[in-house]
């Protein structure tokens, strides 16, 4: 392995088993970037991995990794997959011959590949440098600094411990989990001067100790933005799911001063999905976390401001200004607002469930809990896509997965491709016309009573894990009395407000509402929170983009 001189800490790594190609790509990279980056060259994947480990220990920053596809022992895709574990933020490029472009395209999903380059790349001024320039800009715009892991000490069956882990995971904050009854967890508790009666305990990378933190305190201490930088914006987006992220990307990219406010973590329900396989442009599927991360980075790159762990509790109209009020009493205002609050899963109304929530009963995918299900019997309640995706994901490690649905089968509400996948998994069973009648357990879920919805017959089964995906309740209660909602709480907009082509009662303008505009001019709705929406990721993203177009139309007439 050869390196350029002393150079800065930021590294561009290139690996190719052909010495001639290896020298050529390193030479071209040094010619352009040698003054600002250290170019490291390796001729085997194993040597490159060793170099990455050494740089990790030294605290170096790796911005771009360029790997050849055809290498012995370990090909470029396998190498990049392992390199992701060491430097997940580094931008990844695959060097490939024309005959291997299919493999390169597959790698886009497999290792979240940023780009692939065909060999030869002459002239580099046209084929190499523009690509690397864009990747370096993207890397610089991200939070690329190495962040020491946050430590979380908690009890395995503590609902609050589960909430903290889920919050960190969904916000992609690196952390390590230490059970409070194991030696290392006990050592950390002792070092913090705690006896373990108050859990979870969080130790931030700078050594600060948080005991039983709420989401906002935790967010502020692990580097997530919680306070707005201004009092007035062009656009406030409420909600960070696909619709909200789509609106933030298009709003900020088109020059609007945009702030996105999210009460928990960006991504919404889609962000918790283990695999979305019917989203356009991802033939092999994409995880909700990957899609969310890309969208969040994209929005940030365009200048959108994102606030986490801020709950919006009110919407106010003050002349041409629209303000959103937070739970702590503070507020921010803007010319326009896009409501992208999405939906939440309905609570399972069965005795015993509420007291065991977070202690074996989980709503949604509960990303941090999947590993604990290995070799266990798992139950999933729900018959829509989110339940199906979770069942397929859990089946990879669980001994068995049982899907409980009240309907006759899954075809009523689940996409055909998922129904087919589930039918081919021997460890997954579908129990139709079945519901949870009761949950049993002391400190965690131990058993379930299941009931046949036709005959009323009951059966008790052993269970430690229950994941619930039932219904969709809109998060719009805070809009009561401000915007028109339907009987289920979804926001009514556009033509549904003016079915006869006439402005709705109380509408103050001489035009009918725009397509996604609510009963308050300048306030729009996008995604699952809208009445009669499609409840799909692609349509939510599209509505977020369309809402921004209508925001521009509204602003032009102010």
């Amino acid at each position: 392995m050869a390196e350029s001189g002393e150079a800065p800490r930021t590294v561009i790594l290139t690996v190719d088993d052909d010495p001639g190609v290896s020298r050529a790509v390193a030479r071209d990279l040094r010619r352009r970037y040698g003054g600002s980056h250290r170019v490291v060259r390796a001729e085997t994947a194993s040597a490159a991995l060793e170099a990455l480990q050494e740089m990790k220990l030294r605290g170096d920053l790796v911005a771009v990794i360029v790997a050849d596809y055809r290498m012995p022992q370990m090909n470029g895709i396998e190498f990049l997959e392992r390199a992701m574990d060491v430097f997940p933020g580094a931008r990844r490029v695959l060097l490939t011959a024309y005959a291997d472009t299919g493999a390169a395209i597959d790698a886009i999903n497999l290792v979240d590949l940023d780009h692939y380059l065909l060999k030869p790349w002459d002239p580099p001024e046209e084929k190499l440098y523009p690509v690397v320039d864009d990747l370096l800009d993207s890397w610089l715009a991200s939070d690329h600094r190495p962040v020491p892991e946050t430590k979380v000490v908690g009890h395995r069956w503590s609902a609050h411990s589960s909430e903290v882990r889920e919050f960190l995971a969904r916000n992609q904050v690196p952390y390590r989990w230490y059970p409070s009854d194991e030696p290392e967890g006990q050592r950390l508790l002792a070092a913090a001067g705690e006896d373990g009666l108050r859990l979870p305990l969080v130790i931030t990378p700078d050594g600060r100790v948080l005991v039983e933190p709420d989401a906002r305190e935790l967010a502020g201490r692990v580097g997530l933005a919680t306070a707005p930088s201004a009092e007035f914006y062009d656009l406030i987006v409420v909600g960070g799911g696909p619709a909200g992220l789509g609106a933030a990307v298009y709003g900020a990219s088109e020059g609007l001063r945009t702030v996105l406010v999210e009460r928990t973590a960006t991504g919404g329900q889609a962000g918790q999905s283990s695999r979305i396989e019917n989203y356009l442009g991802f033939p092999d599927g994409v995880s909700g976390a990957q899609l969310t991360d890309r969208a969040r980075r994209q929005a940030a790159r365009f200048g959108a401001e994102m606030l986490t762990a801020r709950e919006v509790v009110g919407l106010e109209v003050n002349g041409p200004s629209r303000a959103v009020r937070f739970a702590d009493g503070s507020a921010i205002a803007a010319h326009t607002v896009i409501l992208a609050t999405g939906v939440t899963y309905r609570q399972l109304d069965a005795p015993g469930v509420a007291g065991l929530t977070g202690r074996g009963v989980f709503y949604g995918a509960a990303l941090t809990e999947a590993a604990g299900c290995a070799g266990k019997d798992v139950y999933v309640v729900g018959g829509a896509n989110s339940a199906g995706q979770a069942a397929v994901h859990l089946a990879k490690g669980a001994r068995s997965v049982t899907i409980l649905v009240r309907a006759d089968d899954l075809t009523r509400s689940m996409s055909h491709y998922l129904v087919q996948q589930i039918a081919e998994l021997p460890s997954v069973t579908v129990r139709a016309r079945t519901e949870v009648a009761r949950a049993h357990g002391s400190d965690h879920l131990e058993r379930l009573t299941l009931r046949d919805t036709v005959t009323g017959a009951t059966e008790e089964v052993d269970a430690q894990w229950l994941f619930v995906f039932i219904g969709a309740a809109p998060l719009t209660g805070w809009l009561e009395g401000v915007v028109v909602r339907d009987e289920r709480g979804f926001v009514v907009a556009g033509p549904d407000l003016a079915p006869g082509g006439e402005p709705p009662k109380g509408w103050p303008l001489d035009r009918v509402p725009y397509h996604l505009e609510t009963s308050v001019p300048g306030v729009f709705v996008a995604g699952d929170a809208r009445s009669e929406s499609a409840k799909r990721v692609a349509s939510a993203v599209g509505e977020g983009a369309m809402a921004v177009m209508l925001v521009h139309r509204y602003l032009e007439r102010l």
Side-chain angles (χ1 to χ4, degrees):
M1 182 178 70
E3 298 182 10
S4 65
E6 40 195 35
R9 303 285 281 174
T10 304
V11 174
I12 299 174
L13 173 71
T14 173
V15 52
D16 195 304
D17 68 306
D18 184 325
V21 175
S22 177
R23 286 192 293 269
V25 68
R27 177 200 65 217
D28 287 343
L29 289 170
R30 289 193 181 104
R31 183 183 303 160
R32 173 86 167 204
Y33 307 104
S36 55
H37 296 77
R38 183 159 58 99
V39 176
V40 175
R41 177 172 69 86
E43 293 185 2
T44 67
S46 59
L49 285 173
E50 289 177 9
L52 288 173
Q53 294 288 0
E54 292 173 6
M55 287 184 271
K56 186 75 171 180
L57 292 174
R58 290 198 305 263
D60 290 345
L61 303 177
V62 177
V64 177
I65 301 174
V66 182
D68 182 54
Y69 172 63
R70 288 184 177 269
M71 293 190 292
Q73 285 83 49
M74 188 188 308
N75 67 35
I77 296 174
E78 295 167 337
F79 164 75
L80 288 173
E81 192 169 16
R82 293 182 61 179
M84 287 173 66
D85 294 334
V86 187
F87 285 97
R91 301 301 183 251
R92 294 171 284 276
V93 181
L94 194 68
L95 279 177
T96 179
Y98 182 81
D100 296 322
T101 53
I105 292 171
D106 290 342
I108 291 174
N109 289 321
L110 184 63
V111 296
D112 201 14
L113 190 70
D114 293 290
H115 204 90
Y116 68 89
L117 282 172
L118 292 177
K119 297 186 292 186
W121 55 86
D122 293 327
E125 290 78 9
E126 295 180 11
K127 298 184 178 180
L128 176 64
Y129 298 153
V131 170
V132 178
D133 284 345
D134 285 345
L135 294 177
L136 287 172
D137 287 343
S138 170
W139 180 80
L140 285 169
S142 67
D143 186 12
H144 55 270
R145 295 167 296 174
V147 180
E149 289 180 328
T150 295
K151 299 178 179 67
V152 180
V153 183
H155 190 276
R156 177 69 194 84
W157 298 114
S158 159
H160 195 176
S161 295
S162 178
E163 290 168 4
V164 164
R165 295 172 67 194
E166 192 74 6
F167 178 85
L168 294 173
R170 291 187 59 194
N171 282 287
Q172 300 195 0
V173 176
Y175 78 93
R176 180 165 294 184
W177 165 251
Y178 297 90
S180 58
D181 57 355
E182 293 186 2
E184 187 59 27
Q186 293 173 355
R187 281 193 287 269
L188 290 171
L189 286 171
E194 292 289 329
D195 55 12
L197 295 178
R198 299 187 301 160
L199 294 174
L201 179 138
V202 178
I203 304 171
T204 63
D206 61 1
R208 187 181 299 270
V209 176
L210 310 176
V211 180
E212 298 180 318
D214 60 22
R216 187 175 178 188
E217 179 187 11
L218 184 59
R221 294 302 185 188
V222 297
L224 300 173
T226 60
S229 63
E231 295 181 354
F232 197 87
Y233 297 84
D234 293 320
L235 171 62
I236 298 171
V237 180
V238 184
L245 287 168
V249 167
Y250 281 91
S253 68
E254 294 175 13
L256 297 177
R257 291 170 298 169
T258 302
V259 60
L260 182 150
V261 183
E262 169 55 48
R263 68 188 185 112
T264 306
T266 51
Q269 287 187 348
Q272 299 179 69
S273 175
S274 58
R275 204 75 181 165
I276 302 170
E277 298 194 59
N278 57 353
Y279 189 70
L280 184 67
F282 292 87
D284 295 317
V286 61
S287 74
Q290 283 180 313
L291 193 63
T292 297
D293 179 58
R294 290 182 177 189
R296 182 172 51 227
R297 286 193 281 120
Q298 194 173 16
R301 183 181 183 188
F302 285 124
E305 186 178 336
M306 280 173 278
L307 306 181
T308 305
R310 297 304 300 268
E311 183 177 5
V312 176
V313 297
L315 174 65
E316 300 172 1
V317 179
N318 303 307
S321 170
R322 279 84 182 97
V324 297
R325 188 160 299 281
F326 300 122
D328 64 359
S330 62
I332 53 175
H335 291 301
T336 57
V337 174
I338 294 177
L339 306 173
T341 53
V343 296
T344 187
Y345 295 111
R346 298 188 190 279
Q347 302 296 295
L348 185 60
D349 186 20
V353 169
L356 294 171
T357 299
R359 299 187 292 149
V361 177
F362 303 95
Y363 288 88
L367 302 175
T368 58
E369 302 299 330
C373 298
K376 304 293 179 59
D377 298 316
V378 179
Y379 288 81
V380 175
V381 178
N385 279 9
S386 53
Q389 290 160 350
V392 171
H393 178 62
L394 292 167
K396 295 176 182 178
R399 178 169 56 191
S400 70
V401 177
T402 303
I403 303 176
L404 308 175
V405 290
R406 295 173 60 88
D408 293 336
D409 54 39
L410 296 176
T411 59
R412 180 177 174 182
S413 54
M414 190 177 293
S415 293
H416 179 65
Y417 79 92
L418 266 176
V419 175
Q420 286 185 311
Q421 282 187 24
I422 289 169
E424 295 171 358
L425 293 173
S427 62
V428 179
T429 302
V430 179
R431 290 190 55 161
R433 300 178 296 278
T434 304
E435 64 183 4
V436 174
R438 179 180 288 272
H440 309 268
S442 52
D443 65 336
H444 67 277
L445 178 67
E446 298 172 359
R447 300 180 311 282
L448 293 172
T449 299
L450 306 181
R451 179 166 51 221
D452 187 305
T453 59
V454 176
T455 66
T458 61
E459 173 191 1
E460 196 167 290
V461 296
D462 292 333
Q464 284 190 317
W465 306 91
L466 177 68
F467 297 89
V468 183
F469 304 81
I470 54 172
L475 297 167
T476 60
W478 57 280
L479 295 168
E480 176 69 31
V482 182
V483 301
V484 173
R485 300 180 299 154
D486 65 19
E487 65 280 1
R488 296 178 298 161
F490 292 92
V491 177
V492 181
D496 292 333
L497 285 169
E502 295 294 327
K505 183 178 180 180
W507 179 256
L509 304 180
D510 59 358
R511 61 169 176 82
V512 296
Y514 296 135
H515 183 67
L516 298 176
E517 197 168 19
T518 71
S519 57
V520 176
V523 177
F524 300 82
V525 62
D528 290 358
R530 183 176 66 82
S531 180
E532 303 301 327
S533 64
K535 307 296 186 291
R536 288 291 185 266
V537 176
S539 61
V541 173
E543 287 192 6
M546 182 187 296
V548 171
M549 178 191 74
L550 298 172
V551 162
H552 280 289
R553 188 179 300 176
Y554 171 83
L555 292 174
E556 289 168 359
R557 299 186 62 169
L558 275 183

